[in-house]
Amino acid sequence: MKRERLKYVVWFSIQVIFLLLSACATSTTVTVTGNTNQPMDSCNIQFFNHSKPSSSYETLAKIESHVQKNMFFGRTAKLEDDTYDELRQKACAIGANAVVINDYVESTAAEFSHVHVWASAIKLNRQGDTIKPVR
């Protein structure tokens, strides 16, 4: 009887661990296309969503990121929250000071919410850039 109970406890524990591990997942691919810079200590990334900088810039890398959250745990993946954090981290690591969101998709499937984003990590030639809408 104790052996059977132990099997049940182990099986249940494994299921709970699997559920917790599958609650959130992020995968990101960075493809370097230009000259990367040293990572910045204090990194302040400017985001351009559906727009491009009005001044000149150099594209350092293309970034593709997929963020998944489990809604049963009260989380929903959002572009401005989870995805911006991931893009900020990757852009800072290659010395970029801005990210252009080229395209993104927010969706839900079963208990999961997803954000898939395609972006470019860039180095603005000057700070304080203004946003120019994409046409």
Side-chain angles (χ1 to χ4, degrees), residues 28-66:
T28 302
T29 303
V30 177
T31 305
V32 176
T33 59
N35 298 321
T36 60
N37 300 302
Q38 293 295 321
M40 295 187 249
D41 292 332
S42 62
C43 189
N44 186 18
I45 297 292
Q46 184 174 0
F47 286 92
F48 294 90
N49 190 1
H50 298 299
S51 62
K52 293 199 178 201
S54 59
S55 67
S56 63
Y57 61 90
E58 177 187 1
T59 301
L60 304 180
K62 298 290 185 184
I63 304 173
E64 185 175 346
S65 185
H66 181 88

Side-chain angles (χ1 to χ4, degrees), residues 10-21:
V10 169
W11 178 84
F12 183 74
S13 299
I14 290 171
Q15 296 300 318
V16 168
I17 289 170
F18 176 74
L19 181 64
L20 291 175
L21 289 176

Side-chain angles (χ1 to χ4, degrees), residues 38-102:
Q38 293 295 321
M40 295 187 249
D41 292 332
S42 62
C43 189
N44 186 18
I45 297 292
Q46 184 174 0
F47 286 92
F48 294 90
N49 190 1
H50 298 299
S51 62
K52 293 199 178 201
S54 59
S55 67
S56 63
Y57 61 90
E58 177 187 1
T59 301
L60 304 180
K62 298 290 185 184
I63 304 173
E64 185 175 346
S65 185
H66 181 88
V67 177
Q68 171 184 294
K69 300 290 180 180
N70 189 317
M71 293 184 291
F72 285 152
F73 292 104
R75 293 296 318 264
T76 302
K78 300 255 187 240
L79 176 68
E80 291 82 7
D81 298 330
D82 306 300
T83 310
Y84 274 19
D85 291 341
E86 180 71 10
L87 294 173
R88 183 178 291 109
Q89 178 186 11
K90 300 302 182 188
C92 288
I94 61 170
N97 60 6
V99 171
V100 175
I101 305 295
N102 299 318

